[in-house]
């Protein structure tokens, strides 16, 4: 089994496209409203594009109208890492894949969405792959 935390930047560059590398490994952000999963309503499981770890389910996805896929909860708390982010003159909470430590997006609290939690996991589409649920 691969220990994704030991993979070098050189190997990540070989595994990922330049755009994926920028977001997943350099904590970049894709432009709003362009990601393939922003408006997707397909049922299934969203996994980390870098390592394949399952992260979110479509039942936790909601339309936040923010330009990126939004979820009110991860699949399980141990699937992600939440880390304080003080970049760009803001204080935010960065969300990373716990399996490979790739950047996924940020989580915000207290925005007033009608969801079971008071959280919005704002995740870059390019950080995810969707495995549709079989019907």
């Amino acid at each position: 089994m691969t220990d994704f935390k030991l993979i070098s930047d050189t190997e990540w560059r070989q595994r990922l496209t330049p755009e994926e590398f920028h977001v997943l490994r350099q904590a970049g952000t894709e432009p709003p409203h362009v990601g393939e999963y922003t408006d997707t309503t397909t049922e299934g499981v969203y996994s980390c594009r870098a390592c394949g770890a399952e992260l979110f389910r479509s039942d936790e996805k909601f339309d936040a109208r923010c330009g990126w896929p939004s979820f009110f909860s991860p699949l399980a708390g141990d699937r992600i890492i939440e880390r304080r982010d003080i970049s760009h003159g803001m204080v935010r909470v960065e969300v990373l894949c716990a399996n490979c430590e790739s950047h996924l997006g940020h989580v915000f609290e207290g925005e007033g969405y009608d969801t079971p939690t008071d959280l919005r996991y704002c995740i870059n589409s390019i950080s995810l792959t969707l495995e549709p649920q079989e019907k």
Side-chain angles (χ1 to χ4, degrees), residues 3-135:
D3 186 347
F4 289 98
K5 295 174 186 171
L6 299 178
I7 294 176
S8 69
D9 276 353
T10 301
E11 189 173 341
W12 279 121
R13 285 183 191 278
Q14 293 169 350
R15 290 173 174 247
L16 303 169
T17 68
E19 295 82 9
E20 291 168 347
F21 183 83
H22 174 66
V23 173
L24 288 157
R25 304 308 304 169
Q26 297 179 315
T29 301
E30 68 186 343
H33 305 287
V34 301
E36 67 181 304
Y37 302 126
T38 301
D39 299 316
T40 300
T41 58
T42 304
E43 292 182 25
V45 176
Y46 290 88
S47 299
C48 176
R49 189 173 301 241
C51 72
E54 293 183 351
L55 301 170
F56 299 95
R57 291 198 187 284
S58 58
D59 340 16
E60 286 102 24
K61 188 172 187 281
F62 70 101
D63 185 4
R65 296 183 175 89
C66 65
W68 294 275
S70 296
F71 302 86
F72 59 81
S73 178
L75 188 64
D78 64 350
R79 303 291 175 102
I80 61 164
I81 297 167
E82 294 182 9
R83 179 167 63 195
R84 188 169 187 248
D85 176 3
I86 57 170
S87 65
H88 306 292
M90 299 178 266
V91 177
R92 301 178 290 175
V93 177
E94 180 183 16
V95 179
L96 301 111
C97 173
N99 192 48
C100 69
E101 297 183 357
S102 287
H103 173 79
L104 303 171
H106 291 87
V107 60
F108 301 95
E109 184 176 15
E111 296 178 316
Y113 289 102
D114 185 22
T115 61
T117 68
D118 196 22
L119 302 172
R120 176 175 61 94
Y121 288 84
C122 183
I123 307 298
N124 292 285
S125 283
I126 202 166
S127 297
L128 302 170
T129 56
L130 172 61
E131 180 66 38
Q133 180 178 329
E134 294 183 23
K135 298 200 177 196

